[in-house]
Amino acid sequence: MKKFRKVLDGLTTSSPVNVGSAPVCSSTAGTPTAAVTPREIEVQETLVSENFQICKTVRHGFPYQPTALAFDPVQKILAIGSRSGGVRILGRPGVDCFCQHESGAAVLQLQFLINEGALVTACADDTLHLWNLRQKRPAILHSLKFNRERITFCHLPFQSKWLYVGTERGNTHIVNIESFVLSGYVIMWNKAIELSTKTHPGPVVHLSDSPKDEGRLLIGFESGTVVQWDLRVKKADFRIYYDEAIHSVSWHHEGKQFMCSHSDGSLTTWNLRNTSKPFQVTFPHGKAQRDGKKPESCKPILKVEYKTTRNSSEPFVIFSGGLSYDKASRRPTLTIMHGKSITVLEMDHPIVDFLVLCETPYPNEVQEPYAVAVLLEKDFILVDLTQSSFPIFENPYPMDIHESPVTCTAYFADCPPDIIPVLYSIGAKHKKQGYSHKEWPVSGGTWTLGAQTYPEIIITGHADGSIKFWDATAITLQMLYKLKTSKVFEKPKAGEGRGAEMVEEDPYAVQMVSWCPQSRLFCVVGISAHVILYRLSKHDATTEIVSLEVRLQCDVEDVLSPCEAESTPGLSDQSSHSPQQAPASPGSVTPEGLRDSIPCLKVKNRPVRMPPGYQAELVVQLLWVDGEPPQQITSVDINSAYGLLALGNCNGLAVVDYLQKSILLCMSTLELYGSSDPYQRLTRSPRKNRQFTQGLTELSDNQVPLELERSRSPTSDHVNGHCTSPTSQPCVAGKPRVPGPEGPRLSRRGPGRPPFRKAQSAACMEISLPVSHTEGYASKRAMLQQLHGVSMYSHDEHHATMYSWSEKESRENSFSRSRSSSVSSIDRETKEAVTTLRFMESCARKADTAPAPSLWVGTSLGVVLVIGLSIPADEEERLDEPVAVAPSGTVLMLKGSVLTFGSLDCGGSLIPSPYEVWRDPHAPEDPDRPRKRKLVNFSPSSSQEVAGDGHLAVVCSERQAKVFLMPAQTCLFVHNITESSFVLRSDVVSVCNSVCLACFCANGHVMTLSLPSLRPLLDVNYLPLTDMRIARTFCFTNGGQALYLSTPTEIQRITYSQEMCDNLQEFLGELFTPVETPEAQNRGFLKGFFGGNAQTFDREELFGEAAAGKASRSLAQHIPGPGGMEGMKAAAGGVVGDLARARIALDERGQRLGELEERTALMMSSAEAFSKHAHELMLKCKDKKWYQF
């Protein structure tokens, strides 16, 4: 039991909680309040640092920039390599593993050790790695680094322990898979080709052993040379020289002929009986010439597969590319030739690689292909070859997260259990049709639902305005429901007013979402300064969508403190101008023409039929003001119990009553203070603003050290030059001025600059340096601003928001409080944005005796404002009587932009926001049971006995976290989270039956703080912030989990809970399952007699150290991997993983011993039977003469 003592209101610098010279809490501006009598609050905190550990759990989505593909036909698992060195291994749904090469080198090729539970990867840094897949977390057993040659191709024969490695120099090396050591046996390029050949054959592009004889290796060189090498006698059987470059080679299963694909779009078939010329040359997509000449050249055929079937004498020939050049605009294709039929499948993306899945792993048997796995640049598909129409299989993996670029994410753990079945049943009605009826062929591994699971949902917003709900329960991911927000609006037409300049943009891009799982209300914020409110219904409906238009403008544009005006030389001559600026006349004309009081998009004004699911009820749009576009919405919150929706941007705040469809409040941020502004800011004239701007730019450049620049937060220094936010538009507020008596004014937006930019996703974020030298910032400083100040983040409890300030006034009036304690530096901020909002039961004023509905507002200056709400209690009155909304005058202060609010009772328990229980708005009416609103309230008075003590308010900003006692507004605890960086995301979350504050900083640190004492519990440098995509999509949730967009196409989930780290092995799937290798077919006596049977030979005899000697040490370096038993234990982690691994090993050993015992018994019985029959035959023939036989 820890005792925490309340402290006095921190208005003096001697207070231990008053960090810096800015006031930390006050009820009115600068007015000290009476001291609160110190009392003791007893809070039992159960969380300790041992409860926290951070680790990755699972990665979802399509592998970003894929490069290679492999399939194990016995284990039925698939591997995909990527350009960043990642490997995804997939089996049945739930079996999904991600491995990463530490070097980060691109994966060139993958080779499974079929049915052995191992994988070989060849990387672009000329290193081979052997991965152990017999554990849930694969680890590298061995690595082999080539020093003098570059790897171009690898081949591992079935059931062989010798890997053939082709190099760029044309040599072929052989590696022992068990020891990962090079053999002394080398096939040099100059020995493979004829001595009379004057040119180098080029890199090795193909290696394969003959299906007819494993002792013969077929080597394909890029120049068009093909050599069959006899491994026993170490010489070439034959050499083929062809004019066109070779891309791939594929054998017929009988080993009598093979097919090559070439760079001119041709396929050549070669018969081993006559290798002087090709048996057949075809141009599948080439136009035949009338005069019998060679057909026109086509695009290269990059890969060909030559497969046979039992039911047909005609083989399958499957290849990629080969189209004629006159069809340059056509999409990438996969061609399937079977007999006389040619089927061309057009793909949406370029083909990276493809594999034909066959029934048998033996290359010398009839292959029986049943599917084609096609790896595209941005998709993965499987084609069913068993049906003539070649349908594709329905993909069970979430490979379409990036179908439209992801712009925001939200993560909800421990959702109501009934919400997932409802969303799934609604989403199932809209699934695509036409898939193959067969089951997904990649069915390897095992996975079971863990015992400790709870419903989890991930929501992704996209650039095309779509929203996707995903079931994320038990580390899986399955799409539940898709919502298209663009259906609310009329489609913009080219050449019609404001739509003309947005046709090719992304006007519907989702900027942030807010979802209440209990009431099922859903709120979407779009880039076009609009908010859409959705209600969930199981019934279709035809209704009109109500549209509200809000004119949110900051009339008081620029502010200047009195002390700043006095201490700024050069501005005194402008003091004669009036501090109040007159509004522009209605006739003011912008360079693009006057646009006033119109929204960016047009809502459909007719009854709209809405299918079951989320149905739009209300659209709130911000309006253009005198030719200036509305500013992006930076924060939003909705409360179903109050029936209110709040939204804010860099101009101010608006509160909407969505039950009465009315606007309750629309005020600028400065007006919210009233007389409580702690800095008493004054207005500035346009002429003064212009001159002061130049001086301040020089001041900032010359007087701020570089090391302090590195710690600037997004609210401190805004983006210099280009704004790279995915939903960026100029942050302007107020009205443009026409040059007049007061002098010319700087243009806030260029004459030709459209109000919207193309919505970049969280996936494609790039940091670009400014090109203009007139903005007064050095390139290094600009880079730091781009990296650390590109976006500002505002988060409600479960959703992320982002916006950027890119105009000159935002940079020039930098918010410098985090570097200095000067009050005047705070006052230089021209715009005070609303960065976070939260409806909750609270005491808005010191005189309040009981919590009441209120709205907490956080701003970019670190100010917290509390707005009181008076809501009628009766349901009928609530729909008729207006809701009273008024600022309470309460002002609390922190360092940096405010990010998060939370509410605790005095026992340290979390107080959720009140909500309305969900009811279907379009369900049939029941006359016996009239529909009434059912509200659930978690007020402090109902959750604790000591109601008189009030409650605790948790506030977190970019720099600080504070805990206030309400209604006394006493700052009980304060913690400076970071001095060298700033917090990007923070949330009050539940972990281990308690609560804590989780933070993610721009320097990559993940932190947790205890509540209410704000003790540091975890601080790990987890993720270097190299891409703003991570910062914009990182979000925490309950249960010690978090996620972020690790690549433009993949979601990475992590946990910071020690308990989940320990139990992670139970959730992960097994990649390897013991399966009996299929027996080879009995080919019969006649086929074997006439040479059709494959010949086997002992590779150990040829390649072993005794016969071939040792390879040169300088050629390659062996690197032991961490995948031995110790490495396996470390990788798997925990006693559970050790026991599971030991149990699997014992099972396998017992199974093998049992098989050995059975075989021994069979051999003994066979030997006894043979001895008995031999003895009987001897007795029978003992007394016979020679002529009797």
Side-chain angles (χ1 to χ4, degrees):
M1 186 72 71
K2 298 188 177 182
K3 296 183 178 181
F4 302 122
R5 183 174 298 275
K6 294 183 179 180
V7 295
L8 302 179
D9 279 344
L11 294 176
T12 62
T13 56
S14 61
S15 171
V17 295
N18 187 5
V19 181
S21 62
V24 290
C25 48
S26 61
S27 56
T28 56
T31 305
T33 57
V36 179
T37 304
R39 293 175 297 169
E40 291 185 351
I41 300 177
E42 295 184 353
V43 178
Q44 183 176 4
E45 292 188 358
T46 58
L47 291 179
V48 293
S49 59
E50 287 75 17
N51 294 126
F52 297 93
Q53 179 187 348
I54 192 164
C55 70
K56 296 179 180 179
T57 55
V58 69
R59 181 173 289 208
H60 303 295
F62 179 76
Y64 183 55
Q65 295 179 329
T67 55
L69 181 66
F71 181 69
D72 187 328
V74 179
Q75 286 289 319
K76 306 280 188 189
I77 57 175
L78 186 89
I80 301 174
S82 70
R83 193 177 301 173
S84 60
V87 178
R88 284 283 291 281
I89 305 172
L90 303 167
R92 67 175 67 248
V95 179
D96 188 342
C97 180
F98 173 75
C99 313
Q100 176 68 45
H101 293 91
E102 291 185 1
S103 65
V107 178
L108 299 180
Q109 198 175 350
L110 299 165
Q111 285 276 325
F112 275 106
L113 277 65
I114 296 176
N115 204 27
E116 294 292 335
L119 176 69
V120 175
T121 58
C123 295
D125 60 352
D126 306 307
T127 306
L128 297 172
H129 304 275
L130 178 64
W131 293 82
N132 179 15
L133 306 184
R134 296 189 177 224
Q135 55 193 65
K136 293 186 175 182
R137 292 278 193 177
I140 293 177
L141 292 169
H142 301 281
S143 297
L144 189 66
K145 168 74 174 174
F146 281 73
N147 297 322
R148 295 186 298 181
E149 298 197 54
R150 309 215 63 180
I151 299 172
T152 56
F153 195 86
C154 298
H155 170 63
L156 180 66
F158 178 48
Q159 293 182 326
S160 169
K161 67 174 184 178
W162 297 95
L163 174 73
Y164 301 113
V165 181
T167 67
E168 195 174 41
R169 292 186 181 180
N171 302 324
T172 301
H173 301 275
I174 301 170
V175 178
N176 187 312
I177 289 297
E178 293 179 350
S179 60
F180 237 58
V181 174
L182 269 179
S183 167
Y185 194 114
V186 183
I187 305 173
M188 305 298 291
W189 68 271
N190 54 353
K191 298 289 182 64
I193 65 173
E194 289 181 340
L195 295 176
S196 60
T197 306
K198 297 181 180 180
T199 58
H200 191 279
V204 175
V205 296
H206 177 79
L207 292 168
S208 62
D209 50 342
S210 169
K212 187 177 178 181
D213 184 0
E214 294 178 349
R216 287 177 164 82
L217 182 69
L218 193 70
I219 307 173
F221 296 93
E222 188 180 56
S223 64
T225 302
V226 179
V227 177
Q228 180 167 288
W229 184 263
D230 191 327
L231 295 168
R232 299 181 186 89
V233 298
K234 300 182 180 179
K235 70 175 186 179
D237 288 337
F238 62 81
R239 298 178 178 91
I240 294 173
Y241 299 97
Y242 195 68
D243 296 337
E244 296 295 336
I246 290 177
H247 286 283
S248 71
V249 181
S250 182
W251 279 98
H252 188 279
H253 82 275
E254 292 180 350
K256 297 179 181 179
Q257 61 184 19
F258 59 88
M259 185 177 289
C260 301
S261 68
H262 299 277
S263 58
D264 63 347
S266 65
L267 296 174
T268 57
T269 306
W270 299 83
N271 197 310
L272 299 192
R273 292 180 181 178
N274 181 13
T275 57
S276 60
K277 64 178 182 179
F279 173 71
Q280 186 181 22
V281 180
T282 58
F283 286 81
H285 297 297
K287 293 182 179 179
Q289 302 293 330
R290 293 181 180 177
D291 53 1
K293 292 183 179 180
K294 179 181 176 182
E296 292 181 358
S297 294
C298 299
K299 296 178 182 178
I301 295 179
L302 301 179
K303 185 173 182 179
V304 64
E305 291 275 13
Y306 190 18
K307 302 299 179 183
T308 54
T309 60
R310 295 190 188 93
N311 300 331
S312 173
S313 59
E314 299 292 344
F316 275 96
V317 178
I318 304 170
F319 60 89
S320 61
L323 290 180
S324 61
Y325 281 102
D326 61 351
K327 298 177 181 177
S329 61
R330 291 186 62 174
R331 295 185 292 180
T333 60
L334 183 78
T335 304
I336 303 174
M337 299 171 59
H338 189 216
K340 294 182 179 180
S341 70
I342 300 178
T343 304
V344 179
L345 305 178
E346 290 192 342
M347 304 295 169
D348 293 331
H349 310 284
I351 297 174
V352 176
D353 196 2
F354 73 90
L355 289 174
V356 179
L357 310 188
C358 301
E359 296 287 353
T360 176
Y362 295 93
N364 58 351
E365 295 180 355
V366 179
Q367 297 298 287
E368 282 297 322
Y370 61 88
V372 184
V374 187
L375 179 63
L376 308 176
E377 277 192 1
K378 295 184 179 180
D379 202 359
F380 175 73
I381 63 171
L382 268 173
V383 181
D384 187 354
L385 292 179
T386 61
Q387 301 182 42
S388 59
S389 60
F390 302 125
I392 65 172
F393 291 88
E394 185 176 4
N395 197 329
Y397 314 127
M399 293 284 191
D400 58 345
I401 292 175
H402 63 289
E403 183 179 17
S404 173
V406 178
T407 53
C408 71
T409 58
Y411 191 9
F412 301 86
D414 205 8
C415 300
D418 58 336
I419 187 67
I420 290 180
V422 170
L423 290 174
Y424 181 80
S425 62
I426 294 172
K429 300 175 183 177
H430 304 285
K431 281 193 173 183
K432 296 179 181 179
Q433 305 297 322
Y435 292 112
S436 172
H437 300 296
K438 294 191 175 182
E439 292 186 1
W440 182 255
V442 186
S443 57
T446 56
W447 179 78
T448 55
L449 194 64
Q452 299 178 350
T453 59
Y454 44 82
E456 299 175 66
I457 287 180
I458 293 173
I459 300 176
T460 56
H462 301 265
D464 63 353
S466 62
I467 304 284
K468 292 181 180 179
F469 289 78
W470 305 85
D471 179 8
T473 305
I475 72 169
T476 60
L477 196 70
Q478 183 180 9
M479 195 172 80
L480 295 171
Y481 174 67
K482 183 177 180 180
L483 173 68
K484 295 182 179 179
T485 62
S486 59
K487 291 186 176 182
V488 173
F489 303 99
E490 301 282 1
K491 292 182 180 179
K493 298 179 181 179
E496 291 188 5
R498 60 182 180 275
E501 55 187 44
M502 295 191 298
V503 169
E504 297 181 357
E505 308 296 337
D506 291 323
Y508 311 112
V510 178
Q511 196 172 348
M512 69 186 85
V513 297
S514 177
W515 186 48
C516 176
Q518 288 78 18
S519 64
R520 304 182 187 178
L521 281 179
F522 187 52
C523 209
V524 180
V525 176
I527 187 178
S528 300
H530 63 266
V531 181
I532 310 174
L533 175 64
Y534 289 91
R535 285 184 183 268
L536 183 66
S537 175
K538 296 180 182 179
H539 307 274
D540 58 359
T542 302
T543 57
E544 287 194 11
I545 303 170
V546 179
S547 176
L548 292 179
E549 297 177 346
V550 178
R551 189 183 175 94
L552 191 58
Q553 178 195 15
C554 179
D555 291 327
V556 183
E557 292 185 343
D558 298 317
V559 292
L560 182 67
S561 64
C563 60
E564 194 173 6
E566 294 171 3
S567 61
T568 308
L571 297 183
S572 57
D573 58 336
Q574 304 295 334
S575 59
S576 58
H577 288 284
S578 169
Q580 298 295 331
Q581 299 177 2
S585 63
S588 299
V589 179
T590 67
E592 304 152 1
L594 181 64
R595 294 186 183 176
D596 188 38
S597 300
I598 58 172
C600 299
L601 299 172
K602 184 179 179 182
V603 179
K604 292 180 179 178
N605 56 4
R606 61 183 184 276
V608 180
R609 185 187 176 280
M610 302 180 188
Y614 271 105
Q615 300 168 349
E617 178 179 301
L618 175 67
V619 179
V620 181
Q621 292 180 286
L622 303 187
L623 301 176
W624 285 64
V625 177
D626 290 342
E628 293 292 342
Q631 302 313 299
Q632 292 178 1
I633 297 169
T634 57
S635 56
V636 69
D637 193 32
I638 189 169
N639 189 280
S640 56
Y642 302 161
L644 300 180
L645 168 69
L647 57 98
N649 66 0
C650 59
N651 284 340
L653 171 71
V655 180
V656 175
D657 185 341
Y658 67 80
L659 294 179
Q660 298 185 19
K661 308 297 187 295
S662 61
I663 301 171
L664 301 179
L665 179 73
C666 182
M667 299 176 69
S668 68
T669 315
L670 197 58
E671 291 172 336
L672 292 175
Y673 288 97
S675 61
S676 303
D677 187 356
Y679 303 113
Q680 299 299 312
R681 288 166 283 190
L682 303 177
T683 59
R684 178 190 299 135
S685 68
R687 191 178 181 92
K688 181 187 297 185
N689 179 35
R690 180 184 172 190
Q691 294 191 7
F692 180 73
T693 290
Q694 299 169 355
L696 183 58
T697 304
E698 297 171 1
L699 177 69
S700 299
D701 284 339
N702 297 333
Q703 295 192 355
V704 181
L706 179 62
E707 60 270 12
L708 293 182
E709 284 300 319
R710 296 181 182 274
S711 67
R712 286 182 183 260
S713 69
T715 51
S716 307
D717 282 318
H718 308 303
V719 179
N720 183 13
H722 305 97
C723 179
T724 55
S725 168
T727 51
S728 60
Q729 64 184 29
C731 183
V732 295
K735 306 175 181 180
R737 297 293 189 272
V738 179
E742 294 183 343
R745 181 176 178 82
L746 288 176
S747 174
R748 294 181 179 269
R749 182 163 57 86
R753 185 173 180 181
F756 301 100
R757 298 187 51 189
K758 186 171 181 63
Q760 295 178 342
S761 68
C764 57
M765 196 68 170
E766 293 181 356
I767 296 176
S768 56
L769 295 178
V771 295
S772 173
H773 65 278
T774 61
E775 298 183 331
Y777 281 74
S779 60
K780 191 167 187 179
R781 175 187 174 111
M783 180 182 67
L784 291 170
Q785 286 182 321
Q786 291 278 8
L787 181 60
H788 296 301
V790 69
S791 298
M792 198 187 300
Y793 294 81
S794 137
H795 304 284
D796 286 347
E797 183 171 356
H798 285 298
H799 65 272
T801 72
M802 50 296 223
Y803 63 93
S804 298
W805 287 4
S806 61
E807 294 303 298
K808 288 185 177 180
E809 65 266 31
S810 300
R811 285 195 318 275
E812 293 156 353
N813 301 282
S814 299
F815 172 38
S816 309
R817 177 174 46 165
S818 55
R819 272 88 58 205
S820 69
S821 54
S822 166
V823 174
S824 63
S825 64
I826 300 175
D827 297 330
R828 294 187 184 128
E829 186 69 47
T830 58
K831 297 288 181 286
E832 183 176 8
V834 177
T835 56
T836 186
L837 296 165
R838 174 76 184 275
F839 287 105
M840 60 182 179
E841 297 283 317
S842 175
C843 301
R845 300 174 179 83
K846 286 190 174 183
D848 292 348
T849 56
S854 61
L855 173 63
W856 285 58
V857 181
T859 75
S860 57
L861 292 188
V863 177
V864 178
L865 304 169
V866 184
I867 297 176
L869 307 173
S870 178
I871 302 174
D874 185 74
E875 183 173 355
E876 294 182 0
E877 292 181 357
R878 175 63 187 87
L879 299 177
D880 299 329
E881 298 294 326
V883 176
V885 180
S888 63
T890 298
V891 178
L892 310 175
M893 297 293 298
L894 290 87
K895 287 183 181 179
S897 173
V898 181
L899 300 177
T900 306
F901 294 125
S903 181
L904 308 176
D905 61 24
C906 288
S909 300
L910 184 67
I911 304 175
S913 296
Y915 64 87
E916 176 188 1
V917 177
W918 175 74
R919 56 178 181 173
D920 196 325
H922 300 297
E925 293 284 349
D926 187 354
D928 298 332
R929 299 180 61 184
R931 300 173 62 182
K932 291 185 178 181
R933 299 180 69 209
K934 183 179 179 182
L935 307 183
V936 178
N937 195 345
F938 301 92
S939 65
S941 58
S942 63
S943 61
Q944 61 182 21
E945 296 178 1
V946 285
D949 284 343
H951 68 96
L952 304 177
V954 181
V955 186
C956 182
S957 73
E958 292 174 335
R959 304 281 178 162
Q960 280 185 327
K962 290 187 178 183
V963 177
F964 296 93
L965 176 66
M966 304 300 287
Q969 302 176 17
T970 304
C971 183
L972 297 181
F973 304 101
V974 61
H975 177 73
N976 291 323
I977 299 174
T978 176
E979 293 294 340
S980 60
S981 183
F982 53 92
V983 179
L984 291 169
R985 175 72 201 225
S986 63
D987 275 303
V988 178
V989 294
S990 299
V991 180
C992 300
N993 299 319
S994 187
V995 290
C996 68
L997 180 65
C999 304
F1000 175 59
C1001 295
N1003 58 8
H1005 282 246
V1006 175
M1007 306 180 191
T1008 57
L1009 304 173
S1010 68
L1011 289 177
S1013 65
L1014 299 178
R1015 288 180 297 108
L1017 299 173
L1018 174 73
D1019 187 353
V1020 176
N1021 187 7
Y1022 168 71
L1023 190 71
L1025 187 60
T1026 56
D1027 200 325
M1028 291 307 299
R1029 173 190 63 252
I1030 297 172
R1032 295 180 42 238
T1033 56
F1034 198 101
C1035 50
F1036 294 99
T1037 189
N1038 296 327
Q1041 297 194 74
L1043 66 79
Y1044 57 91
L1045 208 65
S1046 56
T1047 70
T1049 61
E1050 294 172 284
I1051 290 176
Q1052 178 68 59
R1053 290 165 67 180
I1054 64 173
T1055 181
Y1056 49 95
S1057 165
Q1058 179 68 56
E1059 181 182 4
M1060 187 164 185
C1061 288
D1062 293 340
N1063 298 328
L1064 186 58
Q1065 292 294 313
E1066 298 180 9
F1067 294 98
L1068 299 177
E1070 292 280 359
L1071 295 173
F1072 178 79
T1073 53
V1075 178
E1076 189 72 27
T1077 302
E1079 293 185 2
Q1081 295 177 1
N1082 185 5
R1083 301 177 60 83
F1085 172 75
L1086 291 177
K1087 276 195 174 181
F1089 184 77
F1090 290 109
N1093 201 8
Q1095 299 179 25
T1096 59
F1097 77 110
D1098 189 358
R1099 293 184 176 91
E1100 184 69 34
E1101 265 184 33
L1102 290 175
F1103 307 145
E1105 187 176 329
K1110 291 184 178 180
S1112 172
R1113 290 186 178 181
S1114 61
L1115 183 60
Q1117 176 188 1
H1118 176 257
I1119 305 170
M1125 277 306 293
E1126 289 75 18
M1128 288 168 61
K1129 290 177 183 177
V1135 179
V1136 177
D1138 295 339
L1139 291 176
R1141 185 173 53 256
R1143 184 173 65 252
I1144 292 170
L1146 287 173
D1147 290 344
E1148 293 177 4
R1149 186 168 180 269
Q1151 184 177 358
R1152 290 174 183 169
L1153 288 175
E1155 292 174 358
L1156 181 62
E1157 188 177 354
E1158 290 175 3
R1159 290 175 184 173
T1160 306
L1162 287 173
M1163 289 176 65
M1164 289 178 63
S1165 61
S1166 177
E1168 289 176 359
F1170 179 78
S1171 175
K1172 182 180 178 181
H1173 291 156
H1175 183 68
E1176 290 176 354
L1177 185 61
M1178 184 268 295
L1179 291 177
K1180 184 178 180 180
C1181 301
K1182 183 173 65 172
D1183 299 328
K1184 289 186 178 182
K1185 303 297 182 180
W1186 63 270
Y1187 54 83
Q1188 291 178 324
F1189 288 98

